Amino acid sequence: MTKKTILSVIIILAVAMPPLAEAQFHDYKFTTRQIRLGIEGEFIDRMITWGEDQSEMSSLKSYLFLCKPGYEIREGTTIRAILGYSLSNFNEMVFKELPFSLELNTGNIDGLALGGEVMIKIIKISRFTLSARGQFICYIGFKEQWDIPDLNVEGTATGNPSWSCFTAGPKISYQATEYLRPYITINYDTLWGKVKMKEEIEELTGEQEMKIESKSNFNFSVGTLYEIIDRLDLKIEAFILPFEDNVGLGIALGAIYSF
Amino acid sequence: MKKSKISHTYSLIALFILCATGLFSYQAKEQKSILDIRNNQNLSDIMTNKPLPSLKKIAYSADHILVKFRPYIPDEFIKATINTFQISEYKVIPHINVFKIRVPENSSVDEMLYLMRQHQYIEFAEPDYVAYKTVEPNDTLFNYQYALYNEGQHVGPPGSPQGQPSADIKAPAAWEETKGSEDVIIAIVDTGIELTHPDLKNKIESSGYDFVNSDFEAEDDEGHGTFVAGIAAADTDNNEGMAGVAWNCKLLPVKVLDELGEGYYSWIIDGIIWAVDHEAAVVNLSLGGPADSYSLEAAVRYAHQNDIVVAAAAGNDGGSVIYPAAYDDYCLAVAATDYNDQRPSWSNCGTQIDVAAPGKWILSTYPTWLAPPGYLPYGWGDGTSASTPHVSGLAALIKSIKPLLTADEIMYVIKYSADDVNESSNPGNDVFIGYGRINMEKALVPLIIEQHKMEESSSKTGLIKSLR
């Protein structure tokens, strides 16, 4: 692990620790409810590989705005559906198998995000709870069309991206106070997908399907839940996705209402 | 209890803001670092990313770095900081207040960058990177090859005209993307090639075939084929002579014209078919005649059906397009332009013209036996014969990086990427220069698709034109 990765962890822990330490002096009480509705915004910047033999690399920035209706089957065991809207940015990806090579600099491509999440409580010792969490999100990008510039005839490129992401791993949460429950997670994390690009320039047409894979295969996160008012919890979670000598980063902000 | 909860709320909001701003500012710095140094294999792990194979290696000074202090830091604090880092030598670059700092002897660039980037007064610290000119071959006569890169230089010896900058086929920019593959062969179906020419001998795939004398040695006894071959694929970056369009591609000599530069259609037909059967990817035909011929058409059709790109000269008498260039479905008919992107009056015209390429004051290889004593075996020539191998070279480069493209697709790429240099008088595909003067950069370098969406603009054509 690099100095940069370690530094990132230290920064996040340093930011998260003071309220955590303060919280230990308070009583704690989190109530369990059967039906929950979460709304979350999430940003993750991760490195992906693509191209011949997955030898090229660029950043995939994804913004997710998710609605997570959930049902708590029993205390600590929740299943959630994930429905939402997502923006994914594939800039710098180059399609070299098309008659005219194309490089994407189109910014965000919007689409639907669908999936599910399962959380199972394994054990609770004192104020610590060990759970297992698994999440699957599928991004289905809307087909978009752009002009192909610089040619002496008109041409269009049509892009159609999609990806899936699976994350699973243990989560250790700490009941710091009645209202505050910080946690850390370590996850197996993998993303795979494809970007289809079609080129149409008068009689000339071409199509390429580019496979994408995440460079990093695990992440760890630090977050906390905070009951801001009765039945309403706020959530913040910061992700680090280390790969080789670098890291991808992410943050999630959300609110969870319990019925 | 309520107060405590509100206080927690504030602390949590503060935590949100801290985390969010901290993460995003870190993210921004991280991203910049990746962009700046993405392919530097020597920098330490404090700022490296894995090399991206498609990008060039980035070099930087081993003893200097560039540093900028935050704008509100007083001078005395800056001086104190400089002393803290034991910096004895620096200069301030005016107007942008960036300090060029000599790294102390007991430190390294990596260490200094790491330490300085942690300092609260410093806005940024970065290596003093090395910039490069774009790919330019070291061939001694390259400066005379305005057709490949026109800076407005004299196009020939003293007294020759000066060209208009950018009236060229943008070769150096395209060579950044590819210099071609040795597996791609350009057949020069012509008077043969001087097989021992110093700037060609390493590029010749085999001694070819001579249909004039019926032997396996397509030696040039006229000079035209040698001249054409040099333009298409002379030995490039070899510290002598000239550069060819297709640096790494190979040449296959096929002799179908005699020592007078004349040949029967039957020889040409045999030559085309022999080239196709001997793994040529591109057939260059800087020749032609006024007569239409079923057999000649059948030969170029055979090449086309085998996904061989055929580039043929339009002719030099100012008349209609000659054959085989006039076989529109199977050949790229090539007209000429000059050092000002103007069409010479002698360049033939007609609806079959597909593209143009420079064909006036073109430097290329002369047979050594043709060069007078004391002269280098190079000279200048005019004609669509000189224009055509520029197109053949480009076709070979496209085939090198996109081997799955068909002949038709390669022909479309060459046509659609051409610059419509006579747009003001004859916009679009016209009878004089077809789609325009070829542009290697547009044909080979990835085109960048911007955010603009189709439905957002009602004047799409206007946008495309403005980008030209």
Side-chain angles (χ1 to χ4, degrees):
Chain A
M1 199 177 293
T2 65
K3 288 177 193 170
K4 190 178 278 182
T5 311
I6 294 166
L7 191 66
S8 307
V9 176
I10 290 168
I11 290 167
I12 290 168
L13 288 175
V15 172
M17 281 307 285
L20 195 154
E22 184 195 349
Q24 291 179 5
F25 297 99
H26 297 277
D27 293 331
Y28 57 93
K29 171 183 75 73
F30 264 94
T31 53
T32 61
R33 318 224 183 232
Q34 287 197 317
I35 297 173
R36 290 181 173 179
L37 178 65
I39 294 173
E40 281 186 25
E42 190 175 309
F43 166 77
I44 293 188
D45 182 1
R46 67 172 85 221
M47 295 307 284
I48 53 170
T49 59
W50 44 270
E52 195 177 345
D53 303 326
Q54 301 300 116
S55 58
E56 306 287 340
M57 195 161 63
S58 64
S59 152
L60 168 63
K61 296 182 183 69
S62 48
Y63 304 82
L64 296 151
F65 307 97
L66 305 173
C67 179
K68 294 184 172 180
Y71 180 69
E72 188 165 16
I73 302 165
R74 57 183 171 84
E75 188 188 353
T77 301
T78 307
I79 53 169
R80 288 172 169 179
I82 297 175
L83 308 161
Y85 172 75
S86 174
L87 298 166
S88 286
N89 184 322
F90 299 89
N91 282 4
E92 296 183 21
M93 188 175 281
V94 182
F95 296 82
K96 290 193 172 182
E97 290 171 22
L98 296 170
F100 279 101
S101 300
L102 298 177
E103 178 176 338
L104 277 182
N105 190 29
T106 54
N108 297 319
I109 299 175
D110 51 0
L112 292 175
L114 303 169
E117 185 179 295
V118 179
M119 172 95 78
I120 301 166
K121 187 175 81 176
I122 296 170
I123 190 169
K124 184 172 182 183
I125 302 170
S126 181
R127 295 185 175 195
F128 290 94
T129 305
L130 173 66
S131 313
R133 183 170 77 162
Q135 178 183 273
F136 175 78
I137 295 181
C138 180
Y139 158 78
I140 305 158
F142 299 136
K143 196 179 276 188
E144 292 208 15
Q145 204 168 51
W146 307 276
D147 288 337
I148 297 175
D150 292 351
L151 303 179
N152 57 41
V153 291
E154 292 185 12
T156 58
T158 308
N160 190 9
S162 63
W163 53 255
S164 301
C165 181
F166 176 70
T167 308
K171 172 183 175 183
I172 299 170
S173 55
Y174 176 72
Q175 189 75 60
T177 73
E178 184 180 2
Y179 309 108
L180 190 69
R181 188 161 56 181
Y183 60 85
I184 59 170
T185 72
I186 300 172
N187 296 303
Y188 170 75
D189 177 304
T190 185
L191 180 144
W192 68 99
K194 63 191 174 191
V195 183
K196 282 187 192 169
M197 184 63 69
K198 188 175 181 185
E199 187 175 75
E200 289 174 287
I201 308 163
E202 296 206 339
E203 294 94 335
L204 184 63
T205 58
E207 199 166 340
Q208 184 177 355
E209 186 174 293
M210 187 92 82
K211 284 185 182 172
I212 59 172
E213 288 174 13
S214 54
K215 185 75 181 164
S216 169
N217 275 325
F218 78 98
N219 75 46
F220 52 96
S221 71
V222 179
T224 189
L225 284 169
Y226 183 74
E227 188 177 335
I228 190 164
I229 56 172
D230 189 33
R231 294 173 180 264
L232 181 64
D233 294 337
L234 287 185
K235 171 191 164 179
I236 182 169
E237 189 170 358
F239 304 91
I240 293 178
L241 300 90
F243 65 94
E244 294 174 1
D245 295 334
N246 219 312
V247 290
L249 293 169
I251 188 165
L253 299 168
I256 302 152
Y257 189 79
S258 303
F259 295 93
Chain B
M1 195 63 187
K2 190 79 177 169
K3 192 178 173 185
S4 160
K5 192 168 179 178
I6 290 168
S7 132
H8 279 301
T9 305
Y10 284 138
S11 63
L12 194 70
I13 291 167
L15 171 67
F16 273 38
I17 293 166
L18 271 169
C19 282
T21 52
L23 273 170
F24 280 110
S25 63
Y26 182 79
Q27 180 65 24
K29 285 178 186 171
E30 179 69 19
Q31 204 53 45
K32 185 167 188 310
S33 163
I34 288 170
L35 287 171
D36 285 348
I37 57 172
R38 67 171 79 193
N39 204 22
N40 194 322
Q41 297 178 57
N42 300 321
L43 291 176
S44 73
D45 57 358
I46 57 167
M47 52 187 180
T48 53
N49 188 18
K50 266 288 173 189
L52 298 184
S54 63
L55 297 174
K56 289 182 114 180
K57 185 176 177 181
I58 297 172
Y60 57 95
S61 167
D63 52 16
H64 284 96
I65 59 172
L66 300 175
V67 175
K68 186 171 186 187
F69 289 87
R70 295 187 191 281
Y72 54 82
I73 305 298
D75 286 351
E76 54 269 32
F77 281 49
I78 291 175
K79 284 176 184 164
T81 307
I82 286 171
N83 290 335
T84 306
F85 284 107
Q86 299 177 330
I87 294 161
S88 58
E89 194 181 329
Y90 67 90
K91 78 164 201 173
V92 182
I93 301 173
H95 304 303
I96 59 171
N97 293 320
V98 170
F99 286 62
K100 181 180 176 183
I101 290 173
R102 177 176 282 280
V103 175
E105 284 184 3
N106 58 355
S107 187
S108 69
V109 166
D110 290 1
E111 287 169 0
M112 284 297 285
L113 288 173
Y114 177 71
L115 294 170
M116 296 194 93
R117 283 172 176 174
Q118 316 301 317
H119 200 283
Q120 56 183 330
Y121 295 165
I122 291 172
E123 187 174 321
F124 66 76
E126 62 184 9
D128 190 0
Y129 293 115
V130 177
Y132 304 93
K133 61 183 179 182
T134 54
V135 172
E136 195 172 287
N138 59 23
D139 303 82
T140 50
L141 300 174
F142 179 70
N143 191 45
Y144 290 109
Q145 294 185 268
Y146 83 85
L148 304 183
Y149 186 55
N150 193 343
E151 293 178 292
Q153 71 269 42
H154 284 280
V155 298
S160 64
Q162 277 182 279
Q164 174 190 309
S166 294
D168 56 41
I169 65 172
K170 327 289 175 215
W175 290 331
E176 299 271 2
E177 189 66 23
T178 181
K179 298 181 181 73
S181 161
E182 289 189 0
D183 297 332
V184 174
I185 297 168
I186 305 169
I188 305 295
V189 179
D190 211 288
T191 59
I193 299 176
E194 186 185 28
L195 302 173
T196 54
H197 191 286
D199 224 2
L200 295 172
K201 63 185 179 187
N202 294 328
K203 300 299 298 292
I204 293 172
E205 174 70 8
S206 77
S207 58
Y209 195 84
D210 180 348
F211 285 94
V212 178
N213 302 300
S214 299
D215 61 45
F216 282 94
E217 195 158 303
E219 188 63 57
D220 189 2
D221 51 7
E222 200 274 343
H224 188 266
T226 301
F227 189 84
V228 168
I231 297 166
D235 202 349
T236 305
D237 212 32
N238 60 341
N239 279 305
E240 68 169 307
M242 62 175 292
V245 172
W247 277 34
N248 296 330
C249 299
K250 293 283 190 179
L251 293 163
L252 181 64
V254 185
K255 185 172 173 59
V256 297
L257 302 177
D258 62 19
E259 71 278 9
L260 299 174
E262 296 172 357
Y264 294 109
Y265 273 24
S266 61
W267 294 347
I268 298 166
I269 292 162
D270 276 341
I272 293 168
I273 292 169
W274 188 88
V276 172
D277 293 344
H278 287 78
E279 299 185 353
V282 179
V283 171
N284 186 93
L285 297 169
S286 291
L287 51 76
D292 189 1
S293 157
Y294 289 117
S295 309
L296 186 60
E297 184 177 11
V300 290
R301 188 192 306 125
Y302 174 72
H304 186 263
Q305 285 169 344
N306 282 276
D307 270 334
I308 311 300
V309 179
V310 179
N316 305 324
D317 58 11
S320 54
V321 177
I322 58 174
Y323 298 91
Y327 299 124
D328 206 24
D329 292 340
Y330 315 120
C331 290
L332 278 168
V334 184
T337 53
D338 66 8
Y339 39 83
N340 291 323
D341 267 342
Q342 300 293 313
R343 168 187 160 266
S345 58
W346 45 255
S347 178
N348 290 11
C349 47
T351 54
Q352 303 96 333
I353 297 288
D354 292 302
V355 288
K360 197 168 178 185
W361 277 101
I362 300 301
L363 178 109
S364 191
T365 42
Y366 271 29
T368 51
W369 50 262
L370 199 61
Y375 283 80
L376 293 170
Y378 300 89
W380 284 270
D382 292 352
T384 51
S385 285
S387 306
T388 306
H390 288 106
V391 176
S392 297
L394 172 55
L397 292 180
I398 296 170
K399 191 76 180 174
S400 297
I401 55 168
K402 298 177 191 289
L404 299 179
L405 290 191
T406 64
D408 272 333
E409 288 171 332
I410 293 173
M411 289 161 73
Y412 282 129
V413 169
I414 292 171
K415 288 192 277 192
Y416 295 161
S417 58
D419 289 333
D420 191 4
V421 292
N422 66 350
E423 186 182 21
S424 57
S425 56
N426 295 285
N429 182 10
D430 60 71
V431 296
F432 301 108
I433 58 168
Y435 283 91
R437 189 252 304 123
I438 60 167
N439 184 323
M440 289 173 61
E441 182 181 6
K442 286 185 191 171
L444 291 164
V445 177
L447 302 170
I448 296 173
I449 310 174
E450 301 286 352
Q451 277 181 328
H452 168 81
K453 286 184 192 174
M454 288 285 291
E455 58 273 21
E456 287 172 1
S457 170
S458 56
S459 58
K460 194 171 47 173
T461 311
L463 179 88
I464 291 174
K465 281 184 179 171
S466 69
L467 291 168
R468 273 188 212 148

